[in-house]
Structures are given as structure tokens and as C-alpha cells.
Amino acid sequence: MTPGERIKNARVSRGLTQRQLADRLSITPACVVQWERGIRNPRFGTMKRIADALEIDIKILIPNASSITRTNS
């Protein structure tokens, strides 16, 4: 399953429209459409914001999130 499919499934299961998710993230609905269609993939930080906006664990959007380590470059 792609990141966009995971975002869409989580959004729909929460009963939100693309516009409502976009409003929660302070972005345009076009960004949500691009993610869900696989045109663009959100960065890790954005995925965290999406998970927070959907009130879900990030592991739902990124199943291997616990194995990701972040470094500041």
C-alpha cells in the first residue's frame, strides 16, 4: 500500500473530506489530492503532522516509523 493510499484510508475512516484534512494542516486541498493519487509523497515531518491531524498513530501511515532515525544535517 502506498503512502497516499494509507493517508486516504485513514482520512476516510475518520470521516473527513480532503478539504477538511487540508484545513487541519493549513494547506491547500490540492496537496492532499496529490498525496492520495501518488503524484507527490509527503516528507516524514509532514506525515507526522498528517497523523496528528487525523488523531492516529504515525505507524498507521508509516508502518516502519519506529525504525526511522532522524539526524540533523
Side-chain angles (χ1 to χ4, degrees):
M1 184 177 290
T2 68
E5 290 169 331
R6 288 187 188 100
I7 292 168
K8 182 176 182 176
N9 288 343
R11 175 183 61 76
V12 170
S13 72
R14 299 295 289 168
L16 296 175
T17 65
Q18 290 173 331
R19 176 172 295 282
Q20 289 170 322
L21 177 57
D23 288 346
R24 288 184 179 197
L25 296 168
S26 298
I27 60 169
T28 65
C31 287
V32 177
V33 170
Q34 290 175 349
W35 297 333
E36 290 185 0
R37 290 186 180 170
I39 296 168
R40 297 186 69 178
N41 287 316
R43 295 180 181 184
F44 180 84
T46 304
M47 289 293 269
K48 176 69 175 120
R49 289 182 52 226
I50 294 166
D52 290 345
L54 293 172
E55 300 174 344
I56 60 173
D57 191 311
I58 193 165
K59 292 177 188 172
I60 293 171
L61 300 179
I62 307 173
N64 59 348
S66 60
S67 65
I68 297 173
T69 57
R70 298 201 33 151
T71 58
N72 292 330
S73 310

